Amino acid sequence: MSEEATSRKLTELAKRRGYFFQSSSVYGGVGGFYTFGPQGASLKGHLEDAWRERFSVQEGNMEIDAPTIMPEPVFESSGHLDTFDDMLVDCPECGESHRADHVVEDATDHEDAEGLPIPEVEAIIAEYELVCPSCGAGLAGQAVDDFNLMFATNIGPGDAQPGYMRPETAQGIFVEFPRLKAYARNTLPFGVTQIGRAYRNEISPRRSIIRTREFTQAELEQFVDPAGEGPDCSSVADVPVRLYPIAEQQEDDGEIVETTIGAALEDGVIADPWIAYYLGVAREWYETVGVDMDRFRFRQHLPGERSHYASDCWDAESEIDGHWIEIAGFAHRGDYDLSKHAEGSGERFTVFRQYDEPQIVERATVDPDMSYLGPEFGGDAGAVVGALEDLAATDRSAFDGEVVEIDLEGETHAIPVEHTGFSVDEETIAGEHVTPHVIEPSFGVDRLLYTVLHHAYREDEVDGEARTYLALEPEVAPTFVGVFPLQGDAALEAQARDIVAGLRAAGLAVTYDDSGNIGRRYRRQDEVGTPFCVTVDYESLEDEAVTVRERDSTAQARIPIADLAETLTALRAGERSFAELE
Ligand code: GAP
């Protein structure tokens, strides 16, 4: 079975069994929007809970929940209004719009077309005589344009206050920094997380829920002191990782580097300790939720590929259908966002860094003689004072001679130093205001969900019959246990329903099923990835015990009803193995 066939079968299963399907299909549907059905919503919720537990609770970070629509100035400052663009090319025949860089990457050996300037992309389309992926018409000579990916809206009636659906949850955290730093008692480092929807008007949404127009991100903004110490990486030093750094990507025979987080940091393959730390945490976490580590790697962004705010970025990538897809990005955003929002809002986006000991510093100041400047410069005297103050702060040697030269609207003026009141004084300061740097692990929940399903998809044969099952981790499976009465018998049904109530009271996700033969009921649960099934039979009425069946091995064990909740809870937590029970 080819990998493409796996994806096709998975998409069909997802629709039939309620994982996900195209939204609004009764009205024809529209590309890039999906509804998660009962199984999908549950799996997604479990993945989000697991992420929250690991990246927010265990890391001691704060979680917030910000609005998805934000006013225009936010995106003017963040740079999304100007630069959050993809390259668009329209087909002259069918009118379909395509991402020009994807057209190039899919049909040539250019791997990083996204980072090329538009004229170069136009030239490649012409040189290779590339065609429309929808109808096959030639695209040579068609203009390639920038297309902003944000969904625009108006806040309130009229168009006086434009707003945008946030293209990343991150901005909801950055704009609240002045308040968040107070909750963190003005102490770096601290982290803020958010799980929520993001919106991008993708030119060509494709490959099921991998590229959609509305999706969920789980983001962590780690605010750090640029001169501060990195995190303690000892807990992740031995985590094995497969890395694909820039240097290897640029070699013809470049290879994946198999190493550990500790070694990669020591060798300088990963430059920033915070990024290294979170790559290690993420690698371990991904494994616990069911990402196959033989189909997983971290790839460093090539320079032309990085977002406008990032100075370095590593993607977590999973293999699907023989292709690597980005499921998370770990970016070094520097002070880009906080500085831009400080500039745009006029608010303070800094943290006061207290020195261990107060420091004595020299400060150069001016105290100009206005009885001289007033008559000399008239209405420009104030501007002269400002220029002198700037000069004293930036270049005190300018005051070494008998006159100081300042520039005022392109004209140079010489002012006798004796009229500037220049002096250098000592001052004791307790600390300084610094703009924190941001390290951002940013996870896509939908792509993770797809990866988890794809990596869990299995086909085998049971009792001579073909079977499809999802080997989902018990921690994230939508339903943990299916309970069945063996036959349509009132006594069996009553006992099965009692068991359901008891297991639900113990906090387990349980489904009750009494339709069809027992084999079909097992198949149904296997197909949605339910790890265990419990069957109540006539013996159960006598011995107060039930048959528990494990999904992957189909092995069975007889368990007393009185121990059932405790046993299943221990299996769920990985404290016991099914083999012990058999
Ligand atoms: N705040 C940083 C940021 O948004 P990104 O790499 O653009 O970075 C982060 O997005 C993650 O969001 C990606 O790794 C991916 O998993 C997910 N993502 C981005 N665009 C997506 C789309 N159109 N459909 C589904 N998931 C998407």
Side-chain angles (χ1 to χ4, degrees):
M1 180 175 55
S2 77
E3 287 290 349
E4 297 289 349
T6 305
S7 255
R8 267 202 310 278
K9 288 179 186 179
L10 183 60
T11 303
E12 189 275 323
L13 184 154
K15 193 164 153 186
R16 185 163 43 80
R17 290 289 182 211
Y19 268 101
F20 55 82
F21 42 84
Q22 189 173 40
S23 312
S24 307
S25 57
V26 291
Y27 291 104
V30 55
F33 294 95
Y34 282 83
T35 294
F36 290 96
Q39 305 295 338
S42 172
L43 173 59
K44 186 164 173 276
H46 291 169
L47 290 171
E48 289 169 5
D49 289 346
W51 189 91
R52 176 178 288 112
E53 173 59 27
R54 183 63 193 90
F55 290 91
S56 208
V57 179
Q58 285 187 33
E59 289 298 318
N61 292 327
M62 303 184 273
E63 181 175 357
I64 69 160
D65 185 9
T68 55
I69 295 178
M70 302 177 85
E72 189 166 66
V74 171
F75 300 111
E76 272 167 3
S77 295
S78 72
H80 285 88
L81 214 49
D82 276 346
T83 52
F84 197 58
D85 301 322
D86 273 346
M87 282 182 256
L88 174 87
V89 62
D90 289 327
C91 172
E93 280 299 312
C94 69
E96 193 81 21
S97 300
H98 301 285
R99 259 185 79 164
D101 51 327
H102 286 172
V103 170
V104 167
E105 284 167 10
D106 291 349
T108 72
D109 52 9
H110 288 274
E111 283 175 8
D112 185 23
E114 193 181 357
L116 298 176
I118 282 183
E120 223 170 293
V121 172
E122 287 176 335
I124 296 170
I125 291 176
E127 182 192 338
Y128 286 83
E129 297 179 354
L130 299 184
V131 297
C132 168
S134 305
C135 74
L139 293 174
Q142 283 299 104
V144 172
D145 291 314
D146 273 332
F147 174 76
N148 193 283
L149 295 185
M150 285 197 296
F151 282 101
T153 185
N154 287 307
I155 301 171
D159 55 9
Q161 198 175 4
Y164 296 86
M165 312 293 291
R166 64 183 179 193
E168 56 171 359
T169 64
Q171 294 306 323
I173 296 177
F174 295 140
V175 296
E176 305 307 345
F177 181 81
R179 206 177 290 280
L180 294 169
K181 73 171 181 183
Y183 300 148
R185 293 184 294 281
N186 293 300
T187 309
L188 292 172
F190 69 89
V192 183
T193 63
Q194 181 167 210
I195 301 174
R197 299 277 177 147
Y199 301 82
R200 296 183 191 176
N201 199 1
E202 297 284 354
I203 294 167
S204 35
R206 57 182 184 173
R207 301 180 65 197
S208 178
I209 55 169
I210 291 175
R211 186 175 298 282
T212 56
R213 289 179 166 137
E214 175 172 349
F215 52 95
T216 300
Q217 292 186 317
E219 299 203 293
L220 193 178
E221 309 304 325
Q222 180 74 51
F223 298 102
V224 304
D225 185 331
E229 280 179 19
D232 175 3
C233 288
S234 58
S235 61
V236 292
D238 295 332
V239 173
V241 276
R242 304 170 75 216
L243 303 180
Y244 197 19
I246 291 175
E248 293 296 328
Q249 292 173 62
Q250 286 172 338
E251 293 290 323
D252 283 343
D253 53 357
E255 284 182 353
I256 303 285
V257 180
E258 308 251 1
T259 181
T260 60
I261 290 292
L265 199 50
E266 212 172 291
D267 299 344
V269 179
I270 305 171
D272 185 89
W274 280 103
I275 290 195
Y277 174 73
Y278 279 120
L279 293 189
V281 173
R283 150 71 172 83
E284 293 204 301
W285 179 76
Y286 272 130
E287 191 167 18
T288 66
V289 295
V291 176
D292 180 348
M293 285 300 129
D294 291 334
R295 300 165 69 185
F296 179 82
R297 70 180 186 185
F298 290 114
R299 185 180 70 82
Q300 191 175 20
H301 274 202
L302 293 166
E305 212 184 331
R306 288 183 207 129
S307 298
H308 59 277
Y309 49 71
S311 56
D312 189 16
C313 186
W314 287 82
D315 281 347
E317 294 187 330
S318 69
E319 183 270 314
I320 299 287
D321 300 341
H323 302 283
W324 288 102
I325 63 156
E326 173 200 339
I327 55 175
F330 299 76
H332 199 309
R333 295 179 80 127
D335 67 356
Y336 178 87
D337 302 274
L338 298 188
S339 296
K340 291 285 179 189
H341 286 306
E343 214 176 291
S345 67
E347 296 288 330
R348 192 172 251 189
F349 281 68
T350 53
V351 169
F352 188 70
R353 181 201 289 149
Q354 181 110 25
Y355 297 140
D356 293 341
E357 298 281 330
Q359 288 184 13
I360 297 171
V361 293
E362 284 188 341
R363 198 176 300 288
T365 54
V366 288
D367 183 12
D369 174 3
M370 295 311 284
S371 66
Y372 168 79
L373 294 186
E376 264 314 291
F377 292 96
D380 287 337
V384 173
V385 173
L388 286 170
E389 283 171 348
D390 287 349
L391 204 55
T394 54
D395 179 16
R396 54 176 85 159
S397 68
F399 295 81
D400 286 349
E402 289 193 357
V403 292
V404 184
E405 292 194 338
I406 56 156
D407 231 24
L408 217 55
E409 291 178 1
E411 226 182 289
T412 306
H413 300 274
I415 298 164
V417 168
E418 64 191 90
H419 293 302
T420 62
F422 176 76
S423 67
V424 177
D425 302 307
E426 283 191 342
E427 202 182 311
T428 304
I429 54 168
E432 64 188 306
H433 292 276
V434 289
T435 304
H437 282 192
V438 173
I439 310 299
E440 180 194 59
S442 168
F443 292 68
V445 177
D446 311 63
R447 289 185 188 179
L448 170 61
L449 184 146
Y450 192 84
T451 298
V452 163
L453 289 177
H454 202 281
H455 289 191
Y457 187 91
R458 308 270 191 281
E459 289 179 353
D460 66 358
E461 213 172 81
V462 175
D463 301 332
E465 240 187 74
R467 159 176 98 134
T468 299
Y469 69 102
L470 295 175
L472 294 174
E473 288 297 324
E475 189 192 348
V476 298
T479 305
F480 181 66
V481 56
V483 177
F484 319 143
L486 184 66
Q487 287 178 4
D489 177 292
L492 295 183
E493 284 173 10
Q495 192 165 35
R497 288 197 185 277
D498 274 356
I499 289 172
V500 168
L503 295 180
R504 284 189 181 146
L508 298 172
V510 189
T511 189
Y512 173 86
D513 188 358
D514 60 8
S515 73
N517 69 44
I518 205 78
R520 288 192 56 184
R521 283 183 257 170
Y522 281 144
R523 296 294 176 276
R524 271 203 289 272
Q525 293 309 315
D526 288 345
E527 247 196 339
V528 293
T530 305
F532 298 101
C533 290
V534 167
T535 302
V536 179
D537 53 30
Y538 286 106
E539 250 180 274
S540 308
L541 301 177
E542 306 294 323
D543 67 0
E544 287 286 311
V546 285
T547 301
V548 179
R549 169 194 179 263
E550 189 196 36
R551 175 196 61 207
D552 299 0
S553 63
T554 71
Q556 301 192 351
R558 197 84 183 153
I559 309 282
I561 294 171
D563 299 342
L564 195 57
E566 196 194 326
T567 306
L568 288 170
T569 305
L571 287 170
R572 187 180 194 276
E575 289 158 6
R576 295 185 73 176
S577 76
F578 197 78
E580 280 172 45
L581 306 177
E582 282 175 71

